[in-house]
Structure formats: structure tokens, C-alpha cells
Amino acid sequence: LREEYPSRLYCAFSVFPSPKVSDTVIEPYNTVLSFHQLVENSDECFAIDNEALYDICLRTLRIPKPTYHDLNHLVALAMSGLTCCLRFPGQLNADLRKLAVNLVPFPRLHFFMTGFAPLTSR
């Protein structure tokens, strides 16, 4: 994609694994191996911690046993909040290129931690 569309920004939303949520042994290895691809092939990478999602569902939203549906709902809310500037016109809205210009000091340091407020349960 980079060769065919060189002027486009590539954003990645990556959920990093946690032993609390999944018991698959190879998830940390897959994360380490895919990290190189994120560094080389994306312009902005929004990192989402799976353990933090689980703790938010458990403590803040008071869901006694969070499911993948609950975790995915939080990720979807964060993604829609980050990309709303692309969907709605206005003077206050910025685009992802301005975000990258202002927040990425070096090309290889393009990892952002996402935040979202207010948190509400469904």
C-alpha cells in the first residue's frame, strides 16, 4: 500500500495482550514480532492495553465478568472518537496529518496511548 499510495497516512489501532484476558501462550511472541511491522509500515499507531481495558470494565464500569464484547465496545468508542474529525466538517476539527505533525517528533516514535472520557456502560 505504501508504494501505491505514498502520500496517505496509515493509522493502526493495536490492542496489546494481557495474561488477565487471554491465556494463549504465544500472544506476547506475536506482539514482539508484529511490533517491527508497526514501526516500519504505519505513520500513527494508537496503542490500547488489553489489561487496562479489562480493569476499566471491572472497576470503573462495574461489570463483574467482562467479555470480549465489552472490551470491543470500549475500543470502538475510542476509535470513533479519534476518527470523528474525519467524518464531520468544522473549524475545530483537525485531521490525522496535523496530529502526526504536532505529536510525532521522529518518524519511528509514532505510538500514542488513547484516552476516552466519559466512560459509561451500555
Side-chain angles (χ1 to χ4, degrees):
L1 286 175
R2 174 86 55 199
E3 293 168 357
E4 293 191 25
Y5 303 101
S7 64
R8 296 288 180 195
L9 261 103
Y10 297 100
C11 297
F13 291 88
S14 300
V15 179
F16 290 95
S18 165
K20 281 187 180 179
V21 178
S22 178
D23 56 355
T24 306
V25 178
I26 60 170
E27 273 187 356
Y29 300 111
N30 289 339
T31 302
V32 170
L33 293 174
S34 67
F35 192 75
H36 175 69
Q37 295 298 320
L38 290 173
V39 168
E40 295 296 326
N41 297 326
S42 70
D43 296 313
E44 298 172 357
C45 182
F46 298 96
I48 301 169
D49 184 19
N50 216 2
E51 187 170 347
L53 289 174
Y54 187 80
D55 287 340
I56 287 170
C57 285
L58 198 63
R59 294 189 180 122
T60 307
L61 300 178
R62 293 186 176 88
I63 299 172
K65 184 132 173 101
T67 62
Y68 282 117
H69 183 71
D70 299 321
L71 302 177
N72 287 339
H73 179 70
L74 286 177
V75 172
L77 286 175
M79 286 177 68
S80 67
L82 282 166
T83 59
C84 73
C85 63
L86 302 173
R87 293 178 276 135
F88 303 110
Q91 289 183 343
L92 295 177
N93 291 339
D95 59 353
L96 293 176
R97 186 171 303 280
K98 289 180 185 176
L99 180 73
V101 166
N102 292 327
L103 292 179
V104 178
F106 301 105
R108 293 176 65 91
L109 296 176
H110 56 266
F111 292 90
F112 305 119
M113 289 298 294
T114 56
F116 186 78
L119 291 172
T120 56
S121 59
R122 286 179 278 125

